[in-house]
Amino acid sequence: MIEFIALNMAPIMFASLVIFLLLGYPVAFSLAANGLLFFAIGVWLAPYSGNTITLDWPLLGTMPQRIWGVMSNETLLAIPFFTFMGIVLERSGMAEDLLDTVGQLFGPIRGGLAYAVVIVGALLAATTGVVAASVIAMGLISLPIMLRYGYDRRLASGVIAASGTLAQIIPPSLVLIVLADQLGKSVGDMYAGAMLPGLVLTGLYMAYIFVVSILRPSWVPALPPEARTLGHGILSLIVALAVCIGIGYGAHKALYPTYGADADILGGVVGVAVIYIYALVDRALKLNTLSRLASQVIMVLIPPLALIFLVLGTIFLGIATPTEGGAMGAVGAMLLAALKGRLNFTVISQALASTTRLSSFVIFILIGARVFSLTFYGVNGHVWVEHLLVGLPGGQTGFLIIVSILVFLLAFFLDFFELAFIIVPLLVAPAVALDIDLIWFGVILAVNMQTSFMHPPFGFSLFFLRSVAPKGPYTDKVTGQRVAGVTTGQIYWGATPFVVIQVVMIGVVIAFPGLVMHYKPAPVDVSKVEIKVPGFTPMAPAAPGTPSLGGPALGAPNFGGGTAPAPAPAPAPAGLPGAPALGTPNFGTGGTATPEPAPAPAPAPGLGAPVLNPPVLNPPTVTP
């Protein structure tokens, strides 16, 4: 029995951790306690394990170094920066302005408010990266408006909850930072790989709203004319957008010779900057060349887009690291709040308190995970997981499907931080063994972990919405009418279709890896690589009358372009004037070399050298 337990320590340890978590113990303490408990058991059972358990008490001495590795990880420093940025933006009123403006823009069409919520959710995701801030802000602002104009409560709840979770997959997501750290990959590559799947998921949400607007038009009515306070003027906005695209394209063509692939981002920045400056001048001088709707859309949308470029654009251009981009985003968020007159001590203190809580939560989970992994690897748990998953049928596809189902089921009980710190490190070795790109694998996990916020009944996004949604009847502030509240069942049923869409998105990313693989540079075709070696210039012929020094003639070297004909040997000179006769040397072969006859003496050539007579030295005269 003891030998059986010793040989199966890894699955027993993992099962006990799941039991700890299901009993409701805090994640960080469950990980640390489980690791220390099984460390002691492992040391005791090591002699019975047949060398499969490699634990010993001195191994605990490595824990300070492992914890120091967590504390000195610069990648994780981006988490407090992005958290602070998101909370400051949520307090600055940017979400309220965005929802009002985009809602007015899409108001005349059915489902316009729902489209506005999805678009604003994507913009907030790209600026805040915090799910709680996005869901709470849109729940407070957009839910009363949607209920006021007759939207179905289930659809309204589901749209708000799902749009807030876009912060999980659209950079700068905190989940992507943690996954990049756990997978040992670059955060910038993870951001680049996740951008396109995040936009595709946003498009799927909008496609679902479009289908509902056709099948159930009463669920998503258009805004009545009296609610469209910004009036019309869509043509003016279209013209401004066309001018912006034209300027951006021209800037792209002008900058491409210098900046190459980065010219598209820089060209877009130039176009947006020009149209924003024009809108400022138009409003300041009251030129009224832009309609009220076009001016409001430009003035409200450009600042968050500028913040997105400040954070993501600098990362994609290679100007800043994700940590540096987060720091610039935090400064930019405070600047936007100051421009709106909402930056004060209360906002900063609340943002700092929330950032400290979240950062401490992450650090404590990481420390507990280090204790757990020390013991788990000591009982060969990683080998057990690798053998369990690598042998699955279907190769890469089978592995990805089974892991996606496993993570989806665990997401009912664990949130994304727990999944990232407990499950993901165990999946890295099997993924590497199956030659799966870890960025692609990380994006699949990020889309999958997004469902942990939407799972009834434990989804955090549903909890956030429940905390701000009216539970009972209330009086509308604008119309003065009594409006029924939103029940918990309606929130759960509204979230279900969006969970299905997220599951479909997991399959899309698995089936089309090109959605993620675009982060890699284009491969180099070595068969088309040509290396040219410069040739040597032949020596110039000697000038007439220059004496020959007897050196060999050095022609240009042959590099494989064909065999050059060998030059005919030059006839040996009959004898140079004044040159000594050199006989054939004797190398001790036992014979005597016959000396060559000496050439006839010839007068020495006159080379114009001065004739130096020996000096005459008169001996000194000694007088007696």
Side-chain angles (χ1 to χ4, degrees), residues 15-285:
S16 64
L17 174 64
V18 174
I19 293 173
F20 268 103
L21 295 175
L22 292 179
L23 291 176
Y25 285 98
V27 178
F29 300 127
S30 297
L31 287 168
N34 195 273
L36 291 175
L37 174 63
F38 278 89
F39 188 95
I41 297 174
V43 172
W44 175 55
L45 293 179
Y48 305 97
S49 65
N51 295 326
T52 58
I53 298 179
T54 58
L55 298 176
D56 200 358
W57 290 116
L59 193 60
L60 282 178
T62 63
M63 276 309 304
Q65 184 178 1
R66 293 170 66 87
I67 294 175
W68 174 251
V70 173
M71 304 299 292
S72 59
N73 191 338
E74 292 186 1
T75 301
L76 297 178
L77 190 60
I79 292 178
F81 282 138
F82 285 124
T83 305
F84 180 83
M85 178 183 72
I87 295 173
V88 170
L89 286 176
E90 189 262 330
R91 300 286 194 277
S92 69
M94 184 186 72
E96 183 176 355
D97 294 340
L98 283 172
L99 281 169
D100 180 60
T101 304
V102 180
Q104 295 277 342
L105 180 63
F106 287 91
I109 63 176
R110 284 188 307 219
L113 284 177
Y115 292 131
V117 169
V118 173
I119 293 172
V120 172
L123 288 174
L124 290 179
T127 51
T128 64
V130 182
V131 174
S134 300
V135 174
I136 291 174
M138 290 191 295
L140 288 172
I141 300 165
S142 63
L143 185 59
I145 300 175
M146 298 174 83
L147 297 181
R148 179 185 307 153
Y149 295 112
Y151 270 69
D152 182 78
R153 281 161 174 73
R154 292 170 294 180
L155 178 69
S157 302
V159 167
I160 293 173
S163 301
T165 60
L166 288 173
Q168 288 280 98
I169 187 63
I170 295 180
S173 165
L174 301 183
V175 176
L176 297 178
I177 297 174
V178 174
L179 284 175
D181 177 71
Q182 295 299 305
L183 295 172
K185 306 300 287 185
S186 165
V187 177
D189 289 344
M190 189 68 77
Y191 279 178
M195 179 61 76
L196 193 54
L199 297 178
V200 172
L201 184 59
T202 304
L204 291 178
Y205 288 169
M206 298 180 72
Y208 171 71
I209 296 170
F210 176 74
V211 172
V212 171
S213 67
I214 295 177
L215 300 179
R216 295 285 189 273
S218 61
W219 287 12
V220 285
L223 281 179
E226 60 271 13
R228 305 171 201 166
T229 57
L230 293 179
H232 300 282
I234 190 68
L235 180 61
S236 175
L237 180 61
I238 293 174
V239 171
L241 181 61
V243 171
C244 178
I245 294 174
I247 295 174
Y249 181 75
H252 164 75
K253 300 295 286 185
L255 295 173
Y256 187 81
T258 305
Y259 295 96
D262 296 335
D264 51 356
I265 298 178
L266 297 176
V269 171
V270 172
V272 171
V274 169
I275 202 66
Y276 185 68
I277 293 173
Y278 181 81
L280 287 176
V281 173
D282 182 78
R283 177 173 291 188
L285 300 180

Side-chain angles (χ1 to χ4, degrees), residues 441-521:
F441 186 50
V443 173
I444 294 171
L445 292 177
V447 177
N448 204 333
M449 290 180 187
Q450 192 180 12
T451 61
S452 67
F453 279 88
M454 297 289 292
H455 277 315
F458 302 112
F460 280 92
S461 184
L462 308 181
F463 291 161
F464 297 147
L465 183 59
R466 176 70 282 173
S467 66
V468 297
K471 295 185 174 104
Y474 67 97
T475 302
D476 186 76
K477 296 180 180 179
V478 176
T479 62
Q481 298 178 352
R482 295 289 291 176
V483 180
V486 179
T487 65
T488 303
Q490 289 172 336
I491 294 177
Y492 287 170
W493 279 111
T496 302
F498 292 93
V499 173
V500 175
I501 293 175
Q502 291 170 349
V503 172
V504 170
M505 188 64 203
I506 297 172
V508 170
V509 178
I510 294 176
F512 301 99
L515 290 173
V516 179
M517 295 301 186
H518 65 86
Y519 83 93
K520 289 185 174 182

